[in-house]
Every structure is written in C-alpha cells, then in structure tokens.
C-alpha cells in the first residue's frame, strides 16, 4: 500500500522511517537556497557574460526584474506551502493542482533540471579547481579527477543529516557573501572608475543591446530557490518557516546580485564596462577585486569561487535526493528510495543513487574528451534553465487551480492575483530564454533543437507513464493514496 504524501510523522518500514526528520530553521533553509544560487559564481562567472553579450551596464536591472517576478510568484508558492508540506515541492504542488500525470511530468522536468545543473557545476568547479591548484604551484591533473574528488566529498555530506550540510554551507556562504559585500563597499566608497551613477537602473540601459540574454542569465542565477519547500519536512514549524524563508531568500539574492553587479559596472564605468567585459570576460570581476581590494584579494576570490561552486553542488545533491524520496514514497520510483537513515534522518538511498547518476553523466563527458566549461557546463546549464522555467510555469498554474478548487485559502492577492501575475511574468521570461537558447548553449542551432526536444520529451514521457500507471491502478482496484 502507498503512504499519503502529506504525512509528515515518521512511518516505520523494514529499513526505517519513510518521513524525513531534522530541525533546520529559517536561517538554515535560506543558506541552502542561496548556496544553490552560488552568489560568487554569479558575480564572477555569469555577470561578465551578461555585460559582454547582453545589455552592458543594464545588467544589474535584469537581476531586479528577475527577483520581482520570482517574488510575486513566491506569494502563491508560500501560500501553497502552508497547505502542502512535502519534500517533492514543485512536483507535489503540480500534482495537487493539475493531477498526478502532470505532476509526474513536472517531477521528470525537476530531475532533469537539477541533474543537469549539477553536472554543469561539476564541470565548472573542476576546471576552476584545476586552475587554482596550478596557480599555487600544484600538479596539473585532469579536470575529471578533480570532479570525482568533489563528488566524493559531496556524497559523504549528502549521506549525512541535512543539519550538517546546512552548517557546512553556512560557513562557506558567509565567507563568499562577505567577499562580495567587501568588493561592493570598496567600489562604492572609492566612487568606482568615474564616480557613482545610477545608469544601470534606467530603462534605456536595461533595454539596450540584448536584454533577453541578460535576463536569461539573471533568472538562471536563482535556480534552486525551490529548496525552501523541499526542506519543509525537515524544518521547524514548516508552515511558518517555509514562507518566511522563501521571501527572505528571494529578496536577499536579488538585492545582493543587483548591488554587486552595479559595483562591478561602476568599477569600470557605465560607458566602458561592456568593452572591458568583451575584452576580459573571464577575469572581469577578478580585475575589479584586484583594483579595489588588492591583488591578494583576487587570489582569495578565485579560491572562494571553488567553495561557492562546492556549496552549490551540495545544495543540488540534497535537492535531487529529496525528489527521489518523494517519488518513491508515492509509489513512482523504487521502493527502497523511501528508506531513511536511522541515525541521520536523511534519504541516504536517494543520495547514493544521485551520486551514481552524477558519476555516469560527468564521466560520459570526460570519456568523450569534452571541454568542462564550453561543453559540459554550457550545455547542461542551458538545459537546466529552460526545464526549471517550464516547471515553475506549471507550478504557478497549479497553485491557481488548487486554490480555486480547494477553497482552503480565499485571500484574493495570495491565491489569485499574485499567482496570475507570476505566471505571466514567468511565461515572458521563458519566451525570452527560448528565443536566446542557441546563444546560451554555445551557438549551435541543431544542438539547441535537440536539447529542447529532450526537455519536451521528458515531460511528455513522464506524463504518459503517469497516465498508464494510474490506469493500471484503477483496474487493480482502489488504493489508499487519494488522488488530487
């Protein structure tokens, strides 16, 4: 028999509990979400590209637009979390609002998005770690070796309690945010290259060049913010913790990115920053740090970039393991994935499977001799951004449908107006991202079409599988799992 997916008390099976446990609070969840966003990676990696091929000095405004859309989306998302506590998050919400087949399609998109973004980060992290080791006189080892070393460390922490993972991420995150804030304060205090101005936040700057590309990278920098609900079962008082953590995470990420990107623009001057980014895309932020904080800071920032990427790897590992747990508990994945570690309270079986999946995917790129950044990172990040946006649109529509049908919450703004506005905003961003998808994955139109077909096929395949499975269950008689 299948357990009700909304049950949050421990249900003991042959191998232990089938509900997760933990005592993570608002701060811990916010740490996990911001860690997945990898602030230093966004400021040192994505931002220079946004400036170079996007809208130049208008890049900071792209972060604000993305944050505002997600903040409006978060209103309905937070309201939903008060009614549904489930580690499946997007998957659980889509199931409640649009039915189980569509929910399984959403789960397929989620697993595709988080698996590919984690593989992408393994490529970037391994390449960066290799460069750091060489820079400080270490051996020149293959990038894939560093990737597997990182994978082993993530596997150990992912197997343990979420409280331990949150503590590790907390330490790393505080350090990288402190560095970003220090750079921002230094640039603003010294007046940048040509004085402090607000050109970056004007409509003319935002709409110059290719704002769609900038917005695409900006929304990609928020990937993983779903985690506020994913950790609901492991949180203290989830009905209060999850909504607050959601708002705090989105606002914190948005403000941090907007201010930091503005500081980088001012470091070179609003009129000159795009040319500087085009000339030194990879080193733009490091050059700014060297000029305004000293040469040693640039070295520290490079090391911190590795820890930032590691924090993101651990956060996405935890997310995927919990999705597998939710699917298994609802009867749509191998039963053993419902096993919870008797001491750590973690979905250790799903964690181990996730490590094996990452090993195979990254290993395939390594065997093929692919470039860890230009191919592994670029291609997989592109797939992840499109998949997660489609997933968020489905979730937003599901929230509207759920509250319209259930009547459990009749607040007009929280259950109707904000979700509709959020859906429209997400649809607009999704359209812009798909229109610029070829640029995002490196310029190959054929490859872009193949990846988009894979995304569509993943959703369609899981939806069909869900319908078939439900039909078999109907033929076999009723089950104790209420369908939405």
């Amino acid at each position: 028999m299948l357990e009700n997916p909304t049950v949050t008390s421990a249900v003991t099976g042959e191998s232990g509990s089938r509900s997760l446990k933990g005592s993570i609070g608002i701060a811990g969840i916010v740490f996990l979400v911001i860690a997945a966003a990898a602030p230093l990676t966004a400021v040192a990696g994505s931002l220079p590209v946004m400036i170079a091929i996007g809208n130049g000095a208008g890049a900071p405004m792209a972060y604000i637009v993305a944050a505002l859309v997600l903040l409006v989306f978060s209103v309905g998302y937070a309201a939903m979390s008060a009614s549904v506590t489930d580690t499946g998050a997007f998957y659980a919400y889509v199931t409640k609002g649009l039915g189980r087949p569509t929910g399984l399609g959403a789960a397929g998109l989620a697993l595709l998005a988080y698996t590919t973004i984690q593989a992408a980060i393994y490529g970037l992290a391994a390449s960066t770690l290799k460069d750091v080791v060489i820079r400080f006189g270490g051996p020149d080892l293959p990038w894939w070796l560093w990737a597997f070393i990182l994978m082993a460390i993530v596997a150990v922490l992912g197997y343990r309690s979420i409280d331990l993972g949150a503590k590790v991420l907390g330490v790393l995150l505080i350090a990288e945010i402190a560095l970003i804030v220090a750079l921002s304060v230094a640039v603003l205090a010294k007046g940048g290259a040509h004085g402090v101005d607000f050109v970056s936040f004007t409509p003319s700057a935002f709409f110059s060049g290719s704002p769609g590309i900038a917005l695409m990278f900006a929304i990609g920098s928020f990937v993983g913010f779903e985690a506020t609900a994913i950790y609901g079962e492991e949180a203290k008082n989830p009905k209060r913790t999850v909504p607050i953590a959601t708002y705090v995470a989105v606002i914190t990420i948005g403000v941090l990115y907007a201010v930091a990107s503005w500081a980088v623009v001012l470091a070179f001057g609003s009129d000159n920053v795009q040319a500087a980014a085009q000339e030194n895309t990879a080193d733009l932020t490091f050059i700014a740090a060297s000029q305004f904080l000293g040469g040693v800071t640039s070295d520290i920032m490079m090391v911190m970039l590795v820890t930032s990427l590691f924090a993101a790897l651990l956060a996405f590992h935890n997310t995927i393991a919990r999705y597998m747990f939710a699917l298994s508990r609802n009867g749509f994945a191998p039963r053993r994935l419902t096993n919870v570690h008797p001491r750590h309270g973690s979905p250790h079986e799903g964690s181990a499977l996730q490590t094996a999946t990452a090993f195979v995917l990254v290993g395939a790129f390594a065997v093929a001799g692919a470039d860890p950044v230009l191919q592994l990172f670029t291609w997989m990040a592109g797939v992840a951004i499109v998949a997660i946006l489609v997933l968020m649109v489905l979730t937003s529509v599901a929230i509207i449908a759920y509250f319209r049908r259930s009547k459990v919450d009749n607040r007009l703004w929280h259950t109707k107006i904000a979700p509709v506005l959020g859906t429209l905003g997400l649809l607009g961003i999704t359209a812009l991202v798909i229109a610029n998808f070829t640029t995002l994955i490196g310029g190959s139109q054929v490859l872009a079409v193949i990846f988009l077909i894979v995304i569509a096929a993943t959703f369609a395949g899981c939806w069909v599988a869900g319908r078939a499975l439900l039909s078999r269950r109907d033929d076999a008689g009723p089950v104790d799992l209420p369908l939405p």
Side-chain angles (χ1 to χ4, degrees), residues 64-79 225 246-247 250-251 392 396 399 413-426:
I64 292 181
V65 171
L68 288 175
V69 171
L70 292 181
L71 199 57
V72 173
F73 166 80
S74 297
V75 174
Y77 187 64
F225 109 106
T246 300
Y247 293 130
V250 173
I251 293 172
M392 290 173 67
S396 196
I399 290 170
W413 168 251
H414 290 75
T415 64
K416 295 180 177 64
I417 297 176
V420 169
L421 293 176
T423 301
L424 294 175
L426 289 169

Side-chain angles (χ1 to χ4, degrees), residues 366-382:
V367 170
D371 185 279
V373 177
L374 297 180
Q375 293 171 317
L376 176 54
F377 175 74
T378 302
W379 294 357
M380 294 298 95

